[in-house]
Amino acid sequence: MFEKEERMLKEMNKSAEVSTEAVSDEALDAAVRSGMRRGRRHRRLRARLVSFSAVMVTVAAALLLAVWGGDEGGLKPKEQMAAQGPYPPLTGFDFGEDITLNTANKYGMIQPVNQSVTKGDYTVTVNGVLVGSQRMDVFYTVTTENPADLKRVVLKHPGSSDPLPYSVSSSGGNKLAPGVLHRSQLDVQTNEDTPLPQELTFSFILAPYSTNTVYESSAENEQVIDINVSIDVQTARKYLTTIPINKMLQIEKQRFYLKEAVLSPAGIVVKANIPSSNTMKVSGLWGVYLETVVNGEKIRLNSDSAFLPGAGGGDMTYFFESNILEKPESIMLKADGFQAVDPSTMQLVVDTEKGKVIRSPDGDIQFGEYTKHMLTLEYEERADRHMGSVSIEPEFVDGEGNKHMINEDAGGVNSSSHSSSDTGISRITQYIYLKPQEYPQPLTFTLSSYPGVMEQAFEVPIQ
């Protein structure tokens, strides 16, 4: 049930890339030393010795074996439950101008982990996590002795091989150079029906670098590194607040319902519903953001991602930045209208053999290339034409009417963007992975969202 949300989220994340600036050698050394000093958190046994009788010695020995679970492979401490925050600030990571991360770190909400595992050429360290409502940021480092790719990161229950149905995106790049400490961040989003558990296993899947598999999510000779982490969900819950909104927005006959906002240090979640009775294809709010007031100063909190509704409307979720730890005097949701298009135009027809786009909603999508069953399409986003997400349904139809599914195992649908500060234009490249076979032409894809706007300003108070 969650594949659609994950695919939509990945597409909306294309403009939310995080750049990491260089960190001084001194800062890197300090971070490494700090991680080595902390290591794995062990359970400490405090005892007050009142006698040294043979009975007490025997009991103490039994207790020691029970705590340390002695086995032939050596003494191994039992896992310790996550300590509760606030915590000391996380060091060694540059948060740039990220409002959420800087505020959370200032107030000690990033839980230190500092768990490391080495396998073969690779060493992975989970340094810290920030947990909130339907969201978690994970900060980690990777080193390798040879050129490598971080192919993917999967979250699981400890001892399970089944991945949890979360959306996981990474910043900081996946190509790993040898002898370099790579610092990166995972952004994890969850459906409200699949909350984060207290115990998690992070599976980092790495492989030797190869030009043949650089764009693939899997490769030969993969190495899986599992790191078990205890999440401090109790501290996260202390700072979580749910505020009902219950506000229906309307433009002409099209409607959009705001249900509630959930405030947490890791982000502000706004839940909404798009009525199925709309005659236009309404896919969200246009120009939406939150405006908070802190000490009389207005601060803008942007939405960097969302779970979009299905083709016929339904529930959707916005993920906004957060500065709630600064105790804002007010929080206001603002938007410039609805993202809405005529549903009869939501088809994309492509001939991969002739190398051209036959039909798109406005004729602006251009053919890139079709190589090794990967189709690339290109288009421009301009401020004057209402930039917005282009989302493609996983099912498509070939020239003979046969239905097929996009190859999610190879990468599904994702995109990249190149922006020009001089022109204000972003060049978007959409990557669509198809399963290896011959397809009768042309191929018809259904678009679940496309740039188009009904303009009207809205202001909705949240707090």
Side-chain angles (χ1 to χ4, degrees):
M1 61 173 287
F2 201 66
E3 289 81 0
K4 178 187 291 290
E5 288 89 342
E6 180 173 343
R7 175 172 48 80
M8 300 295 191
L9 177 64
K10 288 179 181 177
E11 293 164 7
M12 292 202 63
N13 270 339
K14 62 179 180 290
S15 62
E17 300 173 350
V18 179
S19 62
T20 303
E21 299 178 0
V23 181
S24 67
D25 292 339
E26 292 81 0
L28 294 180
D29 292 340
V32 173
R33 287 195 300 271
S34 174
M36 292 176 65
R37 283 196 303 267
R38 292 175 185 173
R40 293 177 61 91
R41 292 191 296 272
H42 301 314
R43 181 185 301 273
R44 295 180 176 178
L45 178 63
R46 295 182 178 181
R48 181 174 300 172
L49 300 179
V50 294
S51 68
F52 292 91
S53 67
V55 173
M56 291 304 296
V57 171
T58 303
V59 171
L63 287 173
L64 185 61
L65 287 174
V67 171
W68 289 89
D71 59 84
E72 295 179 358
L75 296 180
K76 295 183 180 180
K78 290 185 178 180
E79 293 295 332
Q80 183 186 30
M81 299 296 289
Q84 294 190 6
Y87 305 98
L90 180 70
T91 59
F93 287 82
D94 183 0
F95 299 140
E97 298 182 357
D98 191 299
I99 294 175
T100 303
L101 300 184
N102 281 300
T103 305
N105 204 35
K106 173 183 175 182
Y107 288 94
M109 287 294 102
I110 299 180
Q111 174 193 340
V113 177
N114 298 316
Q115 300 266 27
S116 292
V117 172
T118 298
K119 270 190 179 181
D121 292 344
Y122 315 113
T123 297
V124 181
T125 302
V126 176
N127 302 84
V129 295
L130 171 62
V131 180
S133 174
Q134 298 182 232
R135 188 165 194 163
M136 177 173 63
D137 292 290
V138 182
F139 307 95
Y140 67 95
T141 59
V142 184
T143 59
T144 176
E145 296 179 7
N146 294 290
D149 270 335
L150 176 60
K151 306 308 293 184
R152 61 195 183 278
V153 182
V154 176
L155 276 64
K156 304 178 294 187
H157 287 297
S160 173
S161 60
D162 298 326
L164 290 166
Y166 299 156
S167 172
V168 181
S169 59
S170 176
S171 63
N174 294 332
K175 185 178 179 181
L176 309 175
V180 178
L181 182 65
H182 297 268
R183 302 175 186 273
S184 194
Q185 173 188 342
L186 293 177
D187 191 10
V188 180
Q189 267 120 359
T190 75
N191 189 289
E192 62 182 335
D193 296 330
T194 54
L196 290 166
Q198 189 165 336
E199 302 294 330
L200 271 174
T201 295
F202 295 91
S203 291
F204 294 83
I205 295 91
L206 302 104
Y209 178 80
S210 170
T211 55
N212 295 327
T213 59
V214 65
Y215 297 112
E216 302 290 336
S217 60
S218 60
E220 295 182 357
N221 302 319
E222 289 184 343
Q223 185 72 264
V224 180
I225 294 181
D226 288 341
I227 300 181
N228 296 324
V229 175
S230 294
I231 305 299
D232 181 8
V233 295
Q234 298 300 322
T235 296
R237 288 170 184 163
K238 291 179 183 178
Y239 293 86
L240 189 147
T241 304
T242 300
I243 301 176
I245 303 176
N246 299 324
K247 177 73 173 179
M248 182 70 77
L249 308 181
Q250 185 164 334
I251 302 178
E252 298 175 3
K253 295 183 179 180
Q254 313 308 313
R255 298 183 299 164
F256 187 95
Y257 182 63
L258 293 168
K259 298 195 294 183
E260 64 182 20
V262 183
L263 282 53
S264 77
I268 297 177
V269 173
V270 174
K271 300 177 183 180
N273 181 272
I274 299 177
S276 59
S277 58
N278 288 335
T279 56
M280 296 284 284
K281 170 61 180 175
V282 177
S283 56
L285 297 173
W286 161 245
V288 63
Y289 65 97
L290 299 180
E291 182 181 88
T292 65
V293 177
V294 178
N295 297 325
E297 179 186 357
K298 294 181 179 179
I299 300 174
R300 178 178 177 130
L301 304 179
N302 293 312
S303 172
D304 58 4
S305 56
F307 290 151
L308 301 181
D315 291 337
M316 72 173 299
T317 304
Y318 280 106
F319 296 91
F320 290 91
E321 298 171 302
S322 173
N323 63 351
I324 66 164
L325 294 173
E326 299 283 8
K327 299 181 179 179
E329 294 100 71
S330 66
I331 303 175
M332 179 82 72
L333 182 143
K334 294 189 174 184
D336 296 324
F338 294 166
Q339 289 184 333
V341 293
D342 183 347
S344 65
T345 65
M346 298 290 280
Q347 281 194 333
L348 175 65
V349 183
V350 181
D351 192 316
T352 60
E353 294 179 356
K354 295 181 180 179
K356 67 177 183 179
V357 175
I358 299 173
R359 184 168 70 250
S360 66
D362 52 15
D364 286 349
I365 296 181
Q366 301 173 5
F367 186 88
E369 61 178 350
Y370 184 62
T371 306
K372 296 182 178 180
H373 307 288
M374 181 182 71
L375 170 64
T376 62
L377 303 169
E378 298 179 346
Y379 61 95
E380 290 182 348
E381 284 189 340
R382 301 172 179 264
D384 59 359
R385 58 161 286 192
H386 298 131
M387 294 185 293
S389 173
V390 175
S391 302
I392 299 174
E393 293 288 341
E395 184 179 84
F396 66 97
V397 180
D398 65 27
E400 295 180 353
N402 303 307
K403 295 181 179 180
H404 306 272
M405 298 298 292
I406 289 171
N407 192 353
E408 297 287 354
D409 293 336
V413 179
N414 55 63
S415 60
S416 63
S417 65
H418 301 278
S419 303
S420 171
S421 57
D422 296 331
T423 63
I425 298 174
S426 294
R427 188 74 179 177
I428 310 298
T429 301
Q430 199 97 16
Y431 304 91
I432 306 173
Y433 294 87
L434 306 184
K435 295 178 180 179
Q437 66 181 74
E438 297 298 324
Y439 296 97
Q441 301 297 309
L443 308 181
T444 300
F445 299 89
T446 299
L447 300 173
S448 53
S449 68
Y450 196 80
V453 167
M454 300 177 70
E455 295 187 77
Q456 179 176 312
F458 295 106
E459 292 188 359
V460 181
I462 294 178
Q463 175 178 294

